[in-house]
Amino acid sequence: MDKVKAFVKNNKDVLVLFLLAKIISVVIFLISHHSFYEVLSLYDGEHYISIANNGYSSPMLTAFFPVVPLLIRYIGQIGVVIVNNLAFLVSLLVINKLLTKYYKSSE
């Protein structure tokens, strides 16, 4: 439990930023009056869902890397949302660590 407390203490700013981004996403989702499926299929999501369901049916779709369609096919759209959120959190932690290291070394 001490490791968890230390992690939260050392990364409080990153965790606040992550939670703020998630709150903004939920508010936008609630305001939009669209279904969860419609929100996920915006922009590139439409293409990823098409690839997951039908494969690479046209040459245009080859521009999309197959990891997300494979995840959609095998763990579902909710699973992809969880994986994307974890990736977002890890990227925030890595950026925080890199910036902290860079600015501490430049002092």
Side-chain angles (χ1 to χ4, degrees):
M1 198 61 160
D2 292 333
K3 288 184 180 183
V4 173
K5 287 181 182 179
F7 175 81
V8 170
K9 183 180 178 185
N10 293 334
N11 296 294
K12 190 178 289 188
D13 51 347
V14 172
L15 297 173
V16 167
L17 181 62
F18 177 77
L19 290 175
L20 184 63
K22 297 300 111 189
I23 290 169
I24 290 170
S25 297
V26 168
V27 168
I28 291 172
F29 173 71
L30 292 173
I31 293 172
S32 72
H33 302 293
H34 292 287
S35 71
F36 186 68
Y37 181 79
E38 290 172 329
V39 172
L40 286 179
S41 63
L42 292 173
Y43 307 110
D44 290 345
E46 175 184 351
H47 301 294
Y48 287 125
I49 292 169
S50 171
I51 294 167
N53 294 331
N54 308 316
Y56 288 94
S57 57
S58 76
M60 179 190 77
L61 294 176
T62 59
F64 297 96
F65 196 67
V67 171
V68 174
L70 287 172
L71 289 172
I72 291 171
R73 181 178 288 175
Y74 293 112
I75 63 175
Q77 292 179 1
I78 299 298
V80 173
V81 170
I82 292 168
V83 169
N84 283 339
N85 281 312
L86 288 173
F88 176 52
L89 180 59
V90 168
S91 67
L92 287 175
L93 292 168
V94 168
I95 290 169
N96 183 44
K97 188 169 189 150
L98 288 171
L99 289 174
T100 303
K101 183 178 179 180
Y102 175 78
Y103 282 109
K104 281 186 179 178
S105 67
S106 66
E107 289 178 354

